[in-house]
Amino acid sequence: MSIGRSGISLRFDWIGLLFACLLTLFIALPLVVVGTWAFTEVWRYPSVIPQQFGLRFWGQTLARPDVWEALLLSLRLTTTVTILSAVICLPAAYAFARMRFPGRNILFLSFLASHAFPKFGLLVAIAGIFLQLGLISTFWGVVLIQLVGTLMLMIWIPVAAFQNVDRRMEEAARDAGATPLRVFWSITLPQAAPTISAALLLTFVGTFYETEGAWLIGAPEIRTMPVLMISFINNQIVVQYGAVLSVMLWVPSFIALMFARRVVGTGAFARGFGA
Amino acid sequence: MSTDTAPAALRRHRTIHRRGAIGLLLVALPVFLLAWLIIFPIFSAVVGTIFVPGADGAREFSLASYRFFFTDGYSLANLWVTLWTTAVCGILLLAIGLPIALYLRFSQGRLAAYVQGLAIFPMFVPSIILAYALIRTIGPNGTVDLLLNSIGLPKLRTPYLTPWGPVIGLVWDNLPLTVLMLTAGLSSVSNSAIEAARDVGARPLRVFISIILPRMGNSLLVTASFAVLGIFSAFTLPYVLGPASPEMMGPFMQRTFADMNDPLNAMTQAVITFGFCLVFGILYIRSIARNPETRP
């Protein structure tokens, strides 16, 4: 029996090694390439490594006014969406997690069911309504469209956070004479806070990089960073501009996202999509 | 019932009633947004493309925009390339994701953690950065060409700007959720069932077919539905990596809406994508409604 087990585990190691090698090639290679381009001044075919490394294009990219305009707009937009979605969704998440009210299950499932439609088709349908309301190409039009994208995430993850709060501590505080608001502020919120901040982080970064709604609703007036990236890719002025922009914008958000990894890595996140 | 317990019951009833009202009030705003920005646009698109403004301004029943779509060669070619891309990506995602998820379910240690980290990693990479990175990697004179040339092999015909460009990008982008959802599904397969099958001499393939597969049918269905719904109307990756003609439904809808300034036909295309995704949408909703884990 033990021979059989070790035989299996030995074979699984080889499979693991195979997966590790293939995934490294498939996942990491494109990212290494874009990282290399950002620090390259000259790289001509067919040289495998760049002829000249340097930071010249960082200076040039950072000197472009359109980059700064897009960055400031993206930050303003993302902050607005994150704050609004927290204000709108967190009370709802608390209600879904803790209160009994008519239609609770069906309303909660309807948030999950919002994934059941092809996203860009839905965006076009919304754009049709925004066109009649004069919201196309406006800041608030883009805020609204991005708010829709964050609804599910900002409800589903905090619901799980509020459910995991230790009820006995809340009851103890209530027995000691604390008011419901005091219990929420001093007991419930601190315990749910790490997961809620992960949801806020995911919302912030997700909104920052949202491209489809921002372009369909925002163009041509509202040019966020991803929309600017698309124009860099299409016009191909200088290869390095796009590479520098990618590294500059992705590294900080990548570090931020790693803090939210605990939430993403668990089965609970996948279950939020109905798995 | 005695006279003094009646008011207590009434009070309790009122408290429950009030808490219910507060609960409804707290969820009202997101529910309103959901209704206004998801449910209403869908109905509005369906109604608006069937009842169109006539010559006198009054709305009248007409299926002209649908007739145009289904008789226009270019629209049909776009629909076809979208169906093809969705099918190929769906099959590739399950073919790549399922072995990885199976491996992760039964392995521990550093190598498994590394494989899991890599498989989930694309979730942290925005698709616009991925699109840019893939152009530099698989595009003409990209890194793949450089590497092939350095070992004396001829250039490959680049998949960039062909229907295979979006396939590579979409598989890359959708791999994390596929693996996460399949791993979540596999976690419901108990160790004891597998051990029991192994003890009676079942080989790994037999264990997979007889024990694992029947228990994760729902999970496979949700994963496949989710992938199909995401890929069918994908925009960024097909727009940047795919061919200009025929194009996938996402870029086609964007161009019709914004560049051609033709909302009616763009909405018709959107309703047609809803129609093609309807089965997967229903399967998705049915399985989350049945799944006790997706309830608060």
Side-chain angles (χ1 to χ4, degrees):
Chain A
M1 189 65 204
S2 66
I3 298 167
R5 286 257 165 83
S6 71
I8 285 168
S9 71
L10 193 68
R11 201 156 59 232
F12 274 162
D13 271 342
W14 279 108
I15 292 171
L17 200 63
L18 183 74
F19 279 137
C21 293
L22 287 177
L23 279 175
T24 304
L25 198 68
F26 183 62
I27 304 291
L29 182 68
L31 301 173
V32 172
V33 170
V34 83
T36 313
W37 265 107
F39 297 97
T40 292
E41 288 184 7
V42 183
W43 190 358
R44 289 196 194 92
Y45 189 84
S47 172
V48 176
I49 52 163
Q51 280 92 350
Q52 194 184 330
F53 286 101
L55 292 172
R56 184 156 58 95
F57 286 98
W58 281 77
Q60 285 187 18
T61 310
L62 291 174
R64 289 177 65 110
D66 55 350
V67 168
W68 286 102
E69 275 167 34
L71 180 64
L72 291 176
L73 175 71
S74 276
L75 287 175
R76 202 153 55 90
L77 193 85
T78 308
T79 312
T80 311
V81 171
T82 309
I83 292 173
L84 273 178
S85 62
V87 170
I88 293 171
C89 296
L90 290 179
Y94 183 80
F96 278 126
R98 291 303 186 78
M99 295 177 166
R100 297 276 168 274
F101 51 87
R104 173 174 165 273
N105 274 345
I106 198 105
L107 288 176
F108 184 74
L109 285 178
S110 64
F111 282 98
L112 297 186
S114 63
H115 282 300
F117 303 98
K119 190 187 162 204
F120 203 75
L122 191 59
L123 286 177
V124 170
I126 298 171
I129 289 167
F130 280 16
L131 195 64
Q132 289 163 11
L133 296 175
L135 282 168
I136 293 285
S137 217
T138 64
F139 179 80
W140 289 103
V142 180
V143 166
L144 272 174
I145 204 81
Q146 302 209 333
L147 204 55
V148 180
T150 64
L151 279 183
M152 197 236 108
L153 190 76
M154 275 301 282
I155 288 184
W156 170 257
I157 297 179
V159 162
F162 284 126
Q163 279 177 329
N164 288 336
V165 171
D166 190 350
R167 295 282 183 105
R168 283 167 306 179
M169 278 176 74
E170 290 181 335
E171 277 160 22
R174 216 168 286 139
D175 289 345
T179 60
L181 204 64
R182 175 92 201 152
V183 173
F184 178 78
W185 190 251
S186 305
I187 310 286
T188 316
L189 203 57
Q191 283 192 48
T195 313
I196 290 176
S197 22
L200 284 169
L201 212 57
L202 285 170
T203 301
F204 189 90
V205 179
T207 308
F208 192 87
Y209 284 112
E210 205 280 338
T211 314
E212 309 183 338
W215 201 21
L216 189 70
I217 305 291
E221 293 296 318
I222 305 294
R223 263 156 70 100
T224 60
M225 284 311 279
V227 176
L228 185 71
M229 271 287 287
I230 288 194
S231 74
F232 276 13
I233 291 173
N234 281 347
N235 302 328
Q236 299 269 345
I237 335 156
V238 175
V239 171
Q240 284 87 340
Y241 286 161
V244 169
L245 217 56
S246 303
V247 172
M248 193 177 97
L249 295 173
W250 177 60
V251 169
S253 47
F254 169 67
I255 293 167
L257 280 172
M258 287 321 263
F259 286 105
R261 202 175 58 143
R262 205 170 53 89
V263 172
V264 175
T266 58
F269 185 79
R271 280 189 200 107
F273 295 96
Chain B
M1 192 183 280
S2 67
T3 46
D4 54 328
T5 55
L10 198 67
R11 244 191 341 264
R12 200 165 56 241
H13 181 73
R14 272 200 195 132
T15 311
I16 290 170
H17 202 67
R18 207 178 59 224
R19 281 184 68 84
I22 294 172
L24 274 174
L25 203 67
L26 290 178
V27 301
L29 206 49
V31 168
F32 166 74
L33 278 176
L34 190 77
W36 180 44
L37 290 174
I38 292 184
I39 298 163
F40 173 60
I42 293 168
F43 282 106
S44 165
V46 174
V47 173
T49 49
I50 293 175
F51 295 95
V52 290
D56 56 348
R59 289 192 170 268
E60 53 192 49
F61 179 79
S62 163
L63 291 174
S65 62
Y66 291 90
R67 210 173 300 126
F68 171 74
F69 185 95
F70 286 107
T71 51
D72 175 44
Y74 185 61
S75 303
L76 290 175
N78 291 342
L79 181 63
W80 168 245
V81 84
T82 307
L83 288 168
W84 179 86
T85 309
T86 308
V88 171
C89 287
I91 292 166
L92 279 176
L93 276 170
L94 286 182
I96 299 169
L98 193 57
I100 295 176
L102 280 169
Y103 167 72
L104 292 176
R105 169 69 179 78
F106 297 108
S107 308
Q108 278 153 355
R110 281 197 190 159
L111 205 56
Y114 178 72
V115 169
Q116 188 190 28
L118 270 180
I120 295 176
F121 195 79
M123 194 176 264
F124 300 120
V125 182
S127 41
I128 187 67
I129 289 179
L130 165 69
Y132 186 79
L134 282 178
I135 292 175
R136 307 272 34 115
T137 310
I138 57 169
N141 290 354
T143 307
V144 171
D145 275 352
L146 290 178
L147 294 174
L148 288 175
N149 182 65
S150 71
I151 52 169
L153 288 171
K155 280 185 182 181
L156 283 180
R157 196 174 153 259
T158 173
Y160 173 49
L161 301 183
T162 75
W164 286 100
V167 168
I168 294 172
L170 289 166
V171 168
W172 206 97
D173 211 27
N174 284 289
L175 190 64
L177 263 181
T178 307
V179 170
L180 277 177
M181 289 168 96
L182 289 175
T183 315
L186 276 170
S187 66
S188 61
V189 181
S190 73
N191 276 340
S192 54
I194 293 162
E195 299 262 319
R198 273 191 193 155
D199 285 346
V200 294
R203 289 170 174 277
L205 189 69
R206 188 81 234 164
V207 173
F208 175 68
I209 293 170
S210 305
I211 308 290
I212 297 172
L213 214 51
R215 284 174 172 77
M216 61 178 309
N218 190 52
S219 167
L220 278 170
L221 207 64
V222 178
T223 311
S225 303
F226 202 80
V228 165
L229 290 164
I231 292 162
F232 197 90
S233 77
F235 171 71
T236 309
L237 292 164
Y239 178 76
V240 177
L241 297 172
S245 168
E247 56 197 338
M248 278 180 70
M249 290 304 285
F252 186 37
M253 282 187 271
Q254 190 274 336
R255 222 167 38 76
T256 313
F257 184 84
D259 300 351
M260 320 259 289
N261 202 10
D262 185 357
L264 175 66
N265 275 317
M267 303 269 251
T268 307
Q269 292 156 11
V271 175
I272 290 166
T273 63
F274 295 149
F276 274 89
C277 293
L278 194 63
V279 177
F280 291 96
I282 291 171
L283 283 176
Y284 181 76
I285 292 178
R286 211 179 59 146
S287 80
I288 57 170
R290 275 182 181 176
N291 188 353
E293 302 240 27
T294 52
R295 281 163 207 272

